[in-house]
Amino acid sequence: MMQNHHNLSRPAGQKLRRNKLKTQEWLDELLLVLPASVLLLTFLILPFLMAGYLSFTDQRLIPRPIPTEFVGFQNYLTVLRDPEFWQAFKNTAYFVVLVVPFQCAISLLCALLLNSELHLRSLFRSVALLPLVTPMTVIVVIWAALYRIPDGFLNSVLHLFGFQGYVDWLGDMTFAMPAIVLLSAWATFPFQMLIFLAGLQDIPMERYEAAKIDGAGTWEMFRYITFPGLRNTNIFILIITTLQAFKLFTQVDILTHGGPLGSTNTLVRYMVQEGYSSQQVGYASAVAVVFVILVGALAVLQRVLLKNE
Amino acid sequence: MKNLPFALFATLALSTAAHAKQITVWVIDGDSERPYFLQLQDAFNKANEKKGLTAKIVPVPSINDAIQSGFLSGKLPDVFMLDGPNMANYVWSGQLAPLDSYFSKSTLSDILPAIKDQGTYSPDGHLYAMSPYDSSVLLWGNKKYLQEAGIRIPKTLKDAWTLKEFEDALQKLSRVKGVTWPLDLKLNYTGEWLSYGFSPFLQACGADLINRKTWKSTGTINSEAAIDILEHLQSWAKNKWIVPASGGDNRFYGDKTAALVWVGNWMWRAHKEGLKDDLVLIPAPKFCGNKQVSPNGGWSYAIPRASSNKDDAGKFIDFAMSSKQVALYSDTTGYVPARKSAIRLSKLYGKGAEGALMAEQSAKIALVRPVHPAYPVISKSFGDAVLNILAGANIKSELDKAAKEIDQDIQSNKGYPPFNK
């Protein structure tokens, strides 16, 4: 009897304790998630829901004496029919295609350099982080001087090589976007580099030692140990860089104002212009919703493709 | 009880502090304006010390954006400066308080007519914005280059260059040693400059940004006259006669690779320091036949309707519009004073002074920008068109697009009543 009772009571007591534990864990988790959720809710989800609502109205930036009206899908139809929107879309895509591989490559290269047995390594690490702590507007002003005509740094370099005349880096349709790409990659690569650096230091040293004993060269070690070891890091970096690239705004707004002939206008700048300069908040909200859907779809697509690999 | 006097003093200080009123004033943030506003704050606070009234003047970069956000969030100061042509839009939106009652009759009759035009909202005839200065755009030249090229330098409005003479001058200047670009059109500026600086090209030829009677843009901004004159402008860009946007600000007065510049009064000090005696002021060219137009107006003081302290705000504007302050504004920044009495006080614009030509332009050939609630859209659409035309786009289709954008905006606001009546 005693034993029987014992047998019966034990699982019940355990279950209770486990339940208690579960509640406690659940509360702890909630507590941890709470600050982030509040921030996400107020600054991301709520504004997005508001934009969704506004996109169906003809809301103006400054309140006006005639009432705001519902316009159904009118704003969306206008967005999709506006050639300027599609040009901005094309420009943004072009920027992403250029900047993502370029920026990933230089950040990986710098991470590799800084991870090697370099003299003054810590000095180089701090120097490499400089762009990260400099505000974008300041960076843009500095680069504007590099691109200046006829006597900016880049044109002076061309002169050194005997080139007559000058290149209008920011005013020429061919060069404007690549110039923005170069600046942007330089301005934001340290972030990716840091993550690569962390990834590199996660790869066990033993593998390299073993490879060395087997007689592997630098390239082989990179090809067969480093690169596969960075798989998760790569996926993360690719996604984060792409998302970052879609937000291109400050650089073009200050340097080229979207020109020449709209060749550097981006989706975000188009949205800001419509919302601020033309004061059409309803319309700009529709652009924002389309933008979020586009970028969201792309992020999901990237994840699916990289998972299947 | 040793501390009694101190305690008494402290209570006194606290009670006056409680009665003291402070108004906040947002002003534009510019190199040439900053010293003036520091002076204004001190002068106003000193004059109102006994009344316990003080003003805190805050220079705000990108003030236009700040004001727009302020309207939305309800966080605005008691006085702010707005760009004159935006006044109608804000009044129509119900955001500004009328200013008429804060000025005496004698002050009002002393203000330049063009400044009153800029600040008056036609549907109700009230004054909503008041600028301490007027601006003007003309050509500034480097005398050395002009003489080397053997070009006649006009001195008065009457003997201004014709379009043909002007283009001839550009051609000759382009061959002068040291000149990379004959003309700087300040393409490094953005925003309002494009419509402010380039609409005179159209207006001198009988076109405009919008028809000021029917408030329709189609047929006016894209008329034959507008296309013709912008063809000239585009050809100068094609000939590489114009400093490109990435050329920066100081080609004319800095390294002197530009020989002429089309820009306003605010560059006075920089030009004077850079060129010294080589600086010459050249009147706006006669772009079409005998007609010439220059833009005018500028940043003005206004009181938001939401301000709970309008009377003190009004006192501040009245103080800032006193002859003495207006003359000081002009001497510090180089703008034309907005009061006739201040013109006489001004070192730059008084009779026979260096700036007389600019004051003459303001009085004779200046045309106020369309005072209409759609102005922000009018300005942006034309500005975009100008930039694209300079970059080589098809002129007619750019102007057609601008016309369509403007008319559509007016339509989607139901004609901005009561403007449609």
Side-chain angles (χ1 to χ4, degrees):
Chain A
M1 270 303 275
M2 277 283 283
Q3 221 175 2
N4 209 351
H5 174 78
H6 213 86
N7 277 346
L8 273 173
S9 73
R10 193 184 274 162
Q14 260 180 357
K15 205 175 179 185
L16 200 75
R17 214 180 326 145
R18 206 184 298 149
N19 269 351
K20 240 187 190 167
L21 211 81
K22 254 196 175 160
T23 328
Q24 185 63 42
E25 261 176 32
W26 194 79
L27 274 175
D28 284 349
E29 280 165 14
L30 193 75
L31 209 67
L32 285 173
V33 172
L34 201 67
S37 327
V38 169
L39 287 177
L40 279 177
L41 199 75
T42 29
F43 293 111
L44 221 76
I45 296 168
L46 251 152
F48 181 67
L49 292 178
M50 275 166 72
Y53 168 76
L54 290 175
S55 67
F56 293 106
T57 70
D58 63 350
Q59 175 74 40
R60 304 281 292 188
L61 179 64
I62 299 171
R64 57 179 180 167
I66 50 178
T68 299
E69 283 169 14
F70 269 92
V71 293
F73 282 92
Q74 187 55 50
N75 286 329
Y76 288 95
L77 288 177
T78 318
V79 173
L80 298 177
R81 277 188 205 136
D82 187 2
E84 262 181 75
F85 168 80
W86 288 110
Q87 190 188 15
F89 174 75
K90 249 172 57 193
N91 293 338
T92 312
Y94 180 48
F95 175 76
V96 171
V97 167
L98 287 183
V99 85
V100 170
F102 181 56
Q103 189 170 354
C104 290
I106 53 170
S107 42
L108 178 59
L109 202 74
C110 286
L112 284 170
L113 273 174
L114 292 186
N115 201 39
S116 63
E117 309 281 312
L118 210 64
H119 280 296
L120 299 171
R121 193 166 55 166
S122 45
L123 178 75
F124 282 123
R125 278 189 192 178
S126 330
V127 171
L129 287 180
L130 275 180
L132 208 56
V133 294
T134 316
M136 185 55 94
T137 39
V138 175
I139 291 177
V140 167
V141 170
I142 296 168
W143 278 73
L146 300 185
Y147 286 136
R148 204 179 49 202
I149 54 171
D151 53 355
F153 173 77
L154 281 173
N155 279 312
S156 304
V157 170
L158 287 184
H159 286 183
L160 275 184
F161 289 101
F163 179 77
Q164 300 291 315
Y166 59 86
V167 177
D168 188 358
W169 300 100
L170 298 168
D172 191 305
M173 299 269 281
T174 328
F175 295 111
M177 191 53 103
I180 297 283
V181 167
L182 193 65
L183 180 170
S184 310
W186 181 83
T188 48
F189 87 92
F191 175 71
Q192 280 88 337
M193 185 194 75
L194 274 186
I195 296 170
F196 269 131
L197 209 54
L200 285 174
Q201 286 171 356
D202 235 22
I203 304 172
M205 272 322 267
E206 295 83 29
R207 292 194 198 163
Y208 290 105
E209 280 156 15
K212 218 177 239 169
I213 293 167
D214 286 347
T218 319
W219 167 246
E220 280 153 330
M221 281 200 263
F222 176 78
R223 170 81 183 75
Y224 294 104
I225 300 172
T226 313
F227 203 71
L230 285 176
R231 192 178 168 341
N232 285 331
T233 318
N234 281 334
I235 294 175
F236 176 73
I237 293 218
L238 197 64
I239 292 175
I240 207 100
T241 313
T242 312
L243 294 186
Q244 213 180 39
F246 266 100
K247 292 193 302 189
L248 178 66
F249 170 71
T250 317
Q251 298 94 303
V252 291
D253 196 52
I254 304 179
L255 271 183
T256 61
H257 319 296
L261 289 178
S263 63
T264 57
N265 206 13
T266 63
L267 285 173
V268 178
R269 190 172 179 277
Y270 175 74
M271 184 169 74
V272 171
Q273 287 269 308
E274 294 300 322
Y276 251 115
S277 309
S278 300
Q279 308 195 356
Q280 299 174 338
V281 170
Y283 181 71
S285 300
V287 180
V289 171
V290 173
F291 178 68
V292 170
I293 293 172
L294 265 173
V295 175
L298 203 91
V300 171
L301 186 79
Q302 266 186 333
R303 269 207 81 93
V304 171
L305 285 179
L306 291 169
K307 268 233 172 92
N308 282 350
E309 210 177 60
Chain B
M1 283 290 113
K2 232 202 243 160
N3 279 336
L4 189 65
F6 174 75
L8 260 177
F9 176 75
T11 352
L12 256 171
L14 269 176
S15 65
T16 46
H19 285 293
K21 276 189 291 181
Q22 189 177 58
I23 55 164
T24 313
V25 183
W26 285 2
V27 298
I28 46 172
D29 184 27
D31 285 341
S32 55
E33 284 88 358
R34 230 169 279 147
Y36 167 75
F37 286 123
L38 267 177
Q39 172 282 133
L40 173 64
Q41 178 174 293
D42 287 346
F44 180 79
N45 291 346
K46 217 169 256 167
N48 292 279
E49 215 169 16
K50 291 209 181 95
K51 293 175 215 152
L53 179 63
T54 52
K56 193 178 145 210
I57 300 188
V58 193
V60 182
S62 327
I63 188 166
N64 213 3
D65 293 348
I67 295 169
Q68 292 194 339
S69 328
F71 285 139
L72 281 181
S73 61
K75 288 215 171 68
L76 279 172
D78 303 295
V79 177
F80 59 71
M81 280 185 113
L82 53 79
D83 202 357
N86 291 339
M87 179 273 295
N89 185 262
Y90 297 154
V91 175
W92 183 74
S93 308
Q95 302 292 344
L96 300 182
L99 303 179
D100 320 65
S101 61
Y102 304 121
F103 301 111
S104 67
K105 268 209 174 112
S106 63
T107 306
L108 284 176
S109 63
D110 194 36
I111 306 278
L112 294 184
I115 292 303
K116 268 192 269 185
D117 284 351
Q118 181 188 230
T120 307
Y121 187 61
S122 59
D124 67 6
H126 285 300
L127 197 68
Y128 287 90
M130 185 60 103
S131 179
Y133 67 89
D134 200 8
S135 63
S136 182
V137 168
L138 44 62
L139 285 168
W140 313 67
N142 187 325
K143 206 196 290 173
K144 203 183 100 197
Y145 291 145
L146 289 165
Q147 281 171 347
E148 238 169 89
I151 298 164
R152 174 183 77 91
I153 305 177
K155 287 200 177 64
T156 62
L157 278 181
K158 270 199 177 148
D159 67 352
W161 286 329
T162 61
L163 184 64
K164 197 179 164 295
E165 270 184 294
F166 179 45
E167 291 189 328
D168 209 44
L170 294 180
Q171 169 94 55
K172 282 179 182 155
L173 284 166
S174 70
R175 290 193 290 255
V176 170
K177 196 171 170 274
V179 176
T180 315
W181 303 281
L183 181 63
D184 188 355
L185 290 175
K186 286 295 168 193
L187 299 182
N188 60 313
Y189 293 173
T190 52
E192 185 53 23
W193 165 249
L194 295 166
S195 43
Y196 170 83
F198 293 90
S199 52
F201 284 70
L202 272 59
Q203 288 153 350
C205 295
D208 203 343
L209 305 183
I210 189 165
N211 183 314
R212 301 192 190 201
K213 287 210 179 78
T214 62
W215 298 116
K216 271 218 150 53
S217 186
T218 304
T220 302
I221 201 174
N222 55 350
S223 58
E224 280 302 319
I227 296 169
D228 282 350
I229 188 70
L230 290 179
E231 261 168 18
H232 285 273
L233 181 75
Q234 194 178 51
S235 72
W236 308 339
K238 274 186 186 147
N239 289 339
K240 291 194 184 279
W241 285 349
I242 304 174
V243 178
S246 30
D249 200 43
N250 66 347
R251 299 296 86 142
F252 173 72
Y253 62 89
D255 64 7
K256 304 183 179 66
T257 44
L260 292 168
V261 58
W262 173 250
V263 75
N265 324 48
W266 56 91
M267 291 307 286
W268 193 298
R269 207 201 288 169
H271 286 173
K272 196 76 202 158
E273 276 166 18
L275 273 89
K276 309 227 161 53
D277 290 342
D278 272 338
L279 181 69
V280 281
L281 273 64
I282 303 167
K286 298 172 178 168
F287 287 120
C288 276
N290 241 342
K291 266 209 84 181
Q292 53 201 135
V293 170
S294 77
N296 85 314
W299 291 83
S300 319
Y301 299 110
I303 301 178
R305 193 177 241 178
S307 166
S308 55
N309 203 359
K310 295 195 186 71
D311 282 342
D312 290 329
K315 269 181 215 149
F316 174 83
I317 299 183
D318 187 40
F319 183 85
M321 287 303 295
S322 64
S323 295
K324 194 185 156 206
Q325 283 297 327
V326 167
L328 267 173
Y329 193 105
S330 156
D331 285 342
T332 323
T333 60
Y335 284 101
V336 179
R339 293 183 64 151
K340 294 169 203 158
S341 59
I343 292 184
R344 288 193 291 271
L345 288 177
S346 157
K347 286 176 220 154
L348 275 174
Y349 296 100
K351 238 187 175 168
E354 279 177 290
L357 178 63
M358 236 171 305
E360 196 190 351
Q361 276 205 176
S362 283
K364 289 189 183 150
I365 61 163
L367 182 62
V368 72
R369 283 163 280 179
V371 186
H372 188 274
Y375 188 78
V377 175
I378 298 176
S379 175
K380 180 190 177 276
S381 306
F382 180 62
D384 286 351
V386 168
L387 269 190
N388 288 344
I389 287 167
L390 283 166
N394 181 282
I395 298 168
K396 179 151 194 332
S397 62
E398 286 297 324
L399 292 178
D400 286 349
K401 204 175 89 193
K404 205 176 125 201
E405 273 171 18
I406 296 166
D407 287 341
Q408 250 170 16
D409 178 78
I410 292 176
Q411 205 187 355
S412 72
N413 283 285
K414 311 209 161 34
Y416 287 98
F419 264 90
N420 53 342
K421 284 179 185 131

